[in-house]
Amino acid sequence: MNFLLIGRPNVGKSSIFNILTNKNINIVHRDEGTTRDWHKNLINNSSSYIFDTPGIPHKKNEIDHYYLFFKSILDSKNNIFLYVIDYNNGFNYIDNENIKYFRKYNKKIILIINKYDNSNLEKSIDFNNYGLVDKFYISCSHRKGFNILQTIFTDNNNKIESPNFDISIAIFGKPNAGKSTFLNTILGYRRATTSSLPGTTS
């Protein structure tokens, strides 16, 4: 089973990815746009995979290359979308429109409400307006709610066909030597972000 983390920038997708995979692969920062690449890893204590994304493109333009790549990920074998929102933003137009857009892919969407740092606060019924049955309140900064969230990966394990990998390949080299371009070429699609500026791939 494959899970895809999606949502607006700076809602905590990379932090969730790092916690669920028990890795420190993704750089996290309060500034938007810190995550500029796509990552995939096994969820800790599960045979499910999770993908992290840099964020939803601001404009869904069929000519925009980033959007086309984003759309190809949505069309791929990701079985469940984990849509992440900021508790402090409440129910809002932008997230509501995004969720409406993702519904057309006919994938299950689970709402993850991050930054629920004070468990004494009421779990607002406003989030019900998104029309999603499954909702999880978590706090990445306090690492709360993940024990309950973990159940969705356990529940889906018996439906998983674990992929078989015969070989693993690592690409090394100096910054801006063309590693990401080489990766994109051998894969046949734009897996990594490329630029003439060193340090684009993070």
Side-chain angles (χ1 to χ4, degrees):
M1 186 72 69
N2 292 327
F3 294 83
L4 179 69
L5 283 164
I6 50 179
R8 295 160 64 185
N10 210 33
V11 292
K13 298 186 299 295
S14 294
S15 295
I16 294 170
F17 179 92
N18 287 344
I19 292 171
L20 289 178
T21 60
N22 200 25
K23 306 281 184 184
N24 202 22
I25 297 174
N26 280 348
I27 300 172
V28 295
H29 197 274
R30 69 181 64 182
D31 292 339
E32 291 188 8
T34 301
T35 302
R36 290 174 291 180
D37 207 351
W38 303 69
H39 295 280
K40 168 189 175 183
N41 213 297
L42 271 172
I43 297 168
N44 193 38
N45 297 322
S46 170
S47 50
S48 296
Y49 279 85
I50 190 165
F51 290 75
D52 185 25
T53 63
I56 301 169
H58 289 295
K59 52 183 180 178
K60 302 177 178 68
N61 187 341
E62 292 291 345
I63 302 176
D64 184 80
H65 293 295
Y66 174 66
Y67 170 66
L68 290 176
F69 175 56
F70 185 82
K71 186 174 182 298
S72 71
I73 295 294
L74 298 178
D75 286 325
S76 66
K77 295 181 179 179
N78 289 297
N79 308 101
I80 296 178
F81 293 165
L82 304 177
Y83 191 88
V84 185
I85 64 172
D86 186 331
Y87 173 84
N88 301 297
N89 290 337
F91 176 78
N92 63 87
Y93 174 80
I94 297 176
D95 284 318
N96 193 44
E97 289 301 304
N98 285 337
I99 289 172
K100 285 181 180 178
Y101 172 77
F102 292 128
R103 287 184 190 277
K104 74 176 186 178
Y105 288 92
N106 295 318
K107 306 287 180 74
K108 182 176 182 179
I109 304 175
I110 295 174
L111 187 66
I112 298 181
I113 304 161
N114 187 29
K115 304 186 183 180
Y116 183 63
D117 299 332
N118 186 351
S119 56
N120 292 323
L121 292 175
E122 183 180 354
K123 294 181 179 179
S124 175
I125 61 173
D126 287 347
F127 294 117
N128 294 337
N129 293 327
Y130 290 118
L132 299 177
V133 175
D134 297 304
K135 294 183 289 295
F136 292 86
Y137 290 78
I138 66 168
S139 169
C140 287
S141 59
H142 298 290
R143 298 219 171 191
K144 292 181 179 178
F146 283 88
N147 56 332
I148 300 175
L149 180 63
Q150 189 78 31
T151 60
I152 68 173
F153 311 119
T154 304
D155 290 343
N156 286 283
N157 276 344
N158 56 1
K159 303 176 184 177
I160 299 169
E161 293 181 6
S162 299
N164 295 318
F165 296 100
D166 296 326
I167 188 170
S168 296
I169 299 174
I171 303 172
F172 298 96
K174 293 181 178 179
N176 214 32
K179 300 185 296 297
S180 295
T181 302
F182 176 67
L183 174 66
N184 291 342
T185 302
I186 61 176
L187 290 179
Y189 66 93
R190 192 169 179 263
R191 167 63 178 79
T193 306
T194 58
S195 170
S196 59
L197 299 175
T200 300
T201 304
S202 55

